[in-house]
C-alpha cells in the first residue's frame, strides 16, 4: 500500500517523495523543484526527464539515482495485513508466512518443438533471409536500432540458443500480451507462470501450453494435479496480497531462474504491483545466487540515445522544412519541435505520454533502476526497449489508440502484439546466451542497446509535439 500522509494514501505524495529522494544526492536543485511541484499529475513530465539528464553526469551519478530511488520506495511503501496491521515493506519477509505453501502443477504440451526462429509479421511468418531483410528495412527506416538487428541476427545464426531447457523462465504477469510465454513454450522451454487466480487467464494459458512443445509450471494449492479438470479455477498467485507465499514457492523452484517482470495494472495499482515485484526480486536475489532478471521497457519514456540516432532525426528534420514551418506558424509554435539539438551526444529522447500518468512512469522507472543496480553487481540482466504495440491496455484509451493509428504519418511503426512479444523473446534469448549482452561504460548505453523503439528515437520531431496531430490523423483509424 501507499504510505499514509496528511493527504491520506496519496499517490502524488509518494511519487514526489521518491523522485526527490532519487535526485537529492546528485541534483539537489532538481530535488527541491520536485518537492515544490504543486500539480504532480501534470507537472511530473519534466521531473522524470531530469532523472535521466542528471544521470548523464557519470556512471556513479546514474547508479546513485537508481539506488536512492529504490531505497526511497522500499522505505516508504507499507504492508497491510489481513487483520489491518501495518508494517514497513522492508520487514515483509522477516515475518512468518501464515499462508499454506503453494504446490506446482506441470502441464506438458503436445506440439512440436520449433528450433528455428521465425517472426509473425502482417499475416506472414518471416524466416531466414526474409526476416533479415525485414530487420534491415526497420534499421533503414529508423524503427529499431542497428544493435537490435545484430542481436536478432545472432539468434538466427545460432538456432540452438532457442533450447531454453537449462533455464526456468519465470513470467510474472504470465497473461500479459507482451510476455515471452508463447515463444518459450514454442521452443520447448520451461515456463514458471505467475498471475492472478482468475480462471479466464489460466484457461488461455493452458490452451497455449498444450498446443506447444514446452512445459508450463503453475502455482496451485497442495493436492492439485495437472490433470485436474478444475485446474484453471485453482491456479494462480496474488503478488499484492500473498507475496511471501509466492516468494517461498519460487525459492524452491529447481534450476536457474530467469525472473521476468511483465506485470501491469491500471492506475495506482500499477505502482503497488511493481513495488511488490521489486521486493520479490530483491528477496530472491538474496536467497539464491542463480537469478537472472528480464525486463521490457516502454518506448514512451525518457532515454538518452546515441549520436547516430540524433543524426538520423536531424536529416529527417532538414528534409521536411516547408511543411514543418507551415504547421508551426498555424499552431503558434506548439507543434513539430525538433527532436534533438543539433549534434547532441547523447541526445535525450522524451517520449513520455501525459495520458499514461505519473503512476505508470514511476512503475516503469523503478524497473529501470533495478536493472541498472543489478547489472552493476555482475548479474545477467536483459533489459530491452519494446516497440509501441496495440495491446489491450492501449486500445482501451481512445486518445492513445488514435495516436497509434496516426503514428505512421510521422515515421513511427506500431506493432501487433504477436510481432512484439516474439521479437522481444528473441532479444531475451540473445541476452541469456551472451551473459546479458555487451558491457558498456554508462548505464544509458545499456538501456539503448538493441532498442526496438518503433521509430520514436529517430523521428524528426519531439514526440509530444506531434502527438496532437497524430491523434487527429488517427481518430478515424482508431474507430475502425
Amino acid at each position: 500500500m501507499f504510505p499514509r500522509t496528511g493527504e491520506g494514501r496519496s499517490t502524488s505524495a509518494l511519487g514526489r517523495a521518491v523522485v526527490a529522494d532519487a535526485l537529492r544526492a546528485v541534483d539537489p536543485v532538481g530535488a527541491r523543484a520536485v518537492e515544490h511541484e504543486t500539480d504532480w499529475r501534470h507537472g511530473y513530465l519534466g521531473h522524470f526527464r531530469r532523472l535521466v539528464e542528471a544521470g548523464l553526469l557519470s556512471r556513479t551519478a546514474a547508479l546513485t539515482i537508481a539506488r536512492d530511488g529504490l531505497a526511497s520506495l522500499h522505505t516508504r511503501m507499507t504492508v497491510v495485513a489481513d487483520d489491518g496491521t501495518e508494517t514497513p515493506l522492508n520487514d515483509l519477509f522477516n515475518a512468518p508466512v501464515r499462508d499454506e505453501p503453494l504446490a506446482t502443477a506441470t502441464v506438458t504440451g503436445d506440439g512440436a518443438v520449433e528450433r528455428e526462429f521465425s517472426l509473425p509479421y502482417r499475416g506472414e511468418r518471416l524466416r531466414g533471409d526474409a526476416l533479415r531483410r525485414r530487420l534491415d528495412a526497420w534499421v533503414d527506416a529508423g524503427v529499431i536500432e542497428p544493435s537490435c538487428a545484430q542481436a536478432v541476427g545472432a539468434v538466427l545464426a545460432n538456432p540452438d540458443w532457442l533450447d531454453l531447457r537449462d533455464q526456468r523462465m519465470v513470467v510474472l504477469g504470465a497473461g500479459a500480451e507482451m510476455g515471452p510465454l508463447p515463444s518459450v513454450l514454442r521452443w520447448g522451454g520451461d515456463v514458471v507462470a505467475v498471475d492472478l487466480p482468475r480462471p479466464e487467464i489460466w484457461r488461455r494459458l493452458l490452451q497455449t501450453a498444450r498446443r506447444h512443445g514446452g512445459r508450463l509450471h503453475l502455482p496451485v494449492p497442495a493436492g492439485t494435479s495437472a490433470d485436474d479438470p478444475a485446474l484453471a479455477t485453482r491456479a494462480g498467485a496474488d503478488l499484492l496480497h500473498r507475496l511471501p507465499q509466492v516468494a517461498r514457492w519460487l525459492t524452491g523452484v529447481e534450476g536457474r531462474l530467469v525472473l521476468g517482470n511483465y506485470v501491469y495494472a491500471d492506475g495506482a495499482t500499477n505502482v503497488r504491483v511493481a513495488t511488490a515485484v521489486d521486493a520479490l526480486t530483491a528477496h530472491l536475489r538474496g536467497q539464491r545466487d542463480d537469478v537472472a532478471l528480464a525486463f521490457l521497457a516502454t518506448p514512451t519514456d525518457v532515454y538518452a540515445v546515441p549520436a547516430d540516432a540524433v543524426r538520423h532525426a536531424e536529416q529527417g528534420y532538414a528534409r521536411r522544412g516547408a511543411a514543418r514551418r507551415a504547421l508551426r506558424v498555424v499552431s503558434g509554435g506548439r507543434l513539430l519541435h525538433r527532436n534533438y539539438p543539433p549534434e547532441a551526444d547523447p541526445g535525450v529522447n522524451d517520449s513520455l505520454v501525459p495520458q499514461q500518468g505519473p503512476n505508470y512512469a514511476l512503475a516503469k522507472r523503478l524497473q529501470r533502476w533495478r536493472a541498472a543496480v543489478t547489472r552493476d553487481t555482475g548479474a545477467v540482466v536483459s533489459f530491452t526497449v519494446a516497440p509501441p504495440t496495440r495491446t489491450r491496455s492501449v486500445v482501451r484509451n481512445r486518445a492513445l489508440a488514435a495516436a497509434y493509428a496516426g503514428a505512421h504519418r510521422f515515421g513511427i511503426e506500431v506493432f501487433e502484439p504477436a510481432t512484439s512479444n516474439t521479437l522481444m523473446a528473441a532479444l531475451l534469448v540473445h541476452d541469456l546466451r551472451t551473459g546479458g549482452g555487451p558491457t558498456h561504460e554508462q548505464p544509458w548505453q545499456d538501456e539503448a542497446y538493441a532498442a526496438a523503439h518503433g521509430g520514436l528515437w529517430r523521428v524528426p520531431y519531439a514526440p509530444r509535439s506531434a502527438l496532437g496531430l497524430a491523434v487527429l490523423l488517427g481518430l478515424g483509424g482508431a474507430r475502425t
Side-chain angles (χ1 to χ4, degrees), residues 105 197-200 202-203 206 210 218-221 224-236:
R198 294 179 180 171
E200 65 275 15
W202 294 101
R203 289 190 190 99
L206 288 168
R210 286 168 178 147
L218 298 73
V220 293
T224 305
S225 66
D227 55 2
D228 189 327
L231 182 59
T233 66
R234 296 176 62 78

Side-chain angles (χ1 to χ4, degrees), residues 69-116:
L70 290 171
S72 176
L73 190 81
H74 282 250
T75 300
R76 294 175 182 278
M77 291 291 275
T78 186
V79 176
V80 179
D82 293 341
D83 62 4
T85 305
E86 194 161 335
T87 58
L89 175 60
N90 285 334
D91 294 340
L92 174 63
F93 295 105
N94 296 328
V97 180
R98 294 184 173 87
D99 296 314
E100 290 295 320
L102 291 166
T104 303
T106 299
V107 174
T108 301
D110 300 323
V113 172
E114 295 186 16
R115 283 289 177 265
E116 178 190 20

Side-chain angles (χ1 to χ4, degrees), residues 290-374:
D290 63 344
V291 180
L293 303 184
F295 301 91
L296 284 187
T298 176
T300 52
D301 204 337
V302 184
Y303 298 96
V305 306
D308 181 61
V310 174
R311 286 191 293 270
H312 189 127
E314 280 299 292
Q315 290 166 3
Y317 189 80
R319 288 196 300 268
R320 292 165 173 82
R324 179 189 73 242
R325 285 190 292 271
L327 279 169
R328 293 210 66 190
V329 168
V330 170
S331 68
R334 292 188 299 273
L335 296 177
L336 303 187
H337 301 165
R338 70 193 317 152
N339 212 346
Y340 308 102
E343 300 182 8
D345 185 13
V348 175
N349 179 267
D350 187 347
S351 294
L352 280 167
V353 176
Q355 288 85 346
Q356 291 181 308
N359 290 317
Y360 181 80
L362 181 60
K364 299 306 292 185
R365 193 59 58 95
L366 77 90
Q367 294 176 11
R368 291 171 64 178
W369 289 340
R370 179 58 63 188
V373 300
T374 304

Side-chain angles (χ1 to χ4, degrees), residues 183-228:
S183 293
V184 176
L185 292 174
R186 182 181 297 113
W187 301 328
D190 283 75
V191 173
V192 180
V194 178
D195 213 317
L196 291 167
R198 294 179 180 171
E200 65 275 15
I201 293 175
W202 294 101
R203 289 190 190 99
R204 178 162 47 87
L205 294 178
L206 288 168
Q207 289 174 355
T208 300
R210 286 168 178 147
R211 72 170 177 264
H212 293 309
R215 298 196 303 172
L216 183 68
H217 307 278
L218 298 73
V220 293
T224 305
S225 66
D227 55 2
D228 189 327

